[in-house]
Amino acid sequence: MGEFKDRLKELRKTLKLSQTKFGEGIGVGLGVIRNLEDGITEPSTALVDLISKVYNVDVVWLETGAGEMFRKMTRREKIASFVGEALADESDDFKSELILTLSALSDTGWRKLREVIQEFKKAEEKIRQDDE
């Protein structure tokens, strides 16, 4: 399935990131991404691993094109990713405030929150059934 340069470009476009923004995500400049996408340079193993980690890309797909582009995240990885993104995004104060509030909940608060979430799930299911 093509070369690394083609898969890197496909990944970046799938993520809807410019070369600059993609590079910022992994701590490299525009020139590095441009050289990789133009096939002028080959990535180091460390860079491939970093791209995989930051953008949740399957390393095998990135290196060979086999399999799926994105790796399936475990429940813990999804939680860690959400918290990390929420803390990094200074423009979305609500997420940070929510995480801080959750960290202060008592056992009673967690039980009440579970009840509220179950009600949301029921409402969502009812909407889905009504749409069918």
Side-chain angles (χ1 to χ4, degrees):
M1 181 192 178
E3 298 179 44
F4 175 86
K5 65 180 187 154
D6 302 318
R7 289 185 296 280
L8 184 66
K9 186 180 285 187
E10 180 182 351
L11 169 64
R12 183 178 58 75
K13 290 186 180 270
T14 298
L15 294 171
K16 296 179 172 66
L17 295 173
S18 67
Q19 288 179 326
T20 301
K21 286 291 183 191
F22 185 88
E24 286 174 1
I26 56 173
V28 299
L30 169 63
V32 172
I33 301 303
R34 196 174 278 155
N35 286 343
L36 289 167
E37 286 189 4
D38 289 344
I40 295 169
T41 58
E42 289 294 319
S44 66
T45 301
L47 185 60
V48 170
D49 289 343
L50 184 60
I51 292 168
S52 173
K53 181 180 176 187
V54 170
Y55 294 113
N56 193 41
V57 179
D58 186 274
V59 172
V60 173
W61 179 85
L62 194 55
E63 291 178 337
T64 68
E68 299 294 320
M69 181 184 294
F70 296 104
R71 62 183 178 84
K72 294 196 188 293
M73 292 173 61
T74 66
R75 187 172 184 222
R76 288 191 181 276
E77 287 173 327
K78 288 178 185 177
I79 293 167
S81 176
F82 172 78
V83 171
E85 289 172 14
L87 296 176
D89 185 0
E90 294 177 14
S91 68
D92 192 345
D93 198 40
F94 173 74
K95 289 180 183 176
S96 296
E97 191 66 32
L98 175 63
I99 292 167
L100 182 61
T101 302
L102 292 174
S103 73
L105 281 179
S106 65
D107 287 344
T108 303
W110 280 106
R111 280 192 296 277
K112 288 179 182 177
L113 181 59
R114 178 178 283 141
E115 291 170 9
V116 169
I117 290 172
Q118 288 170 344
E119 286 299 315
F120 275 115
K121 287 181 178 179
K122 286 178 191 175
E124 183 181 41
E125 183 61 32
K126 184 175 181 336
I127 290 169
R128 263 196 231 126
Q129 289 174 354
D130 290 347
D131 286 345
E132 291 178 354

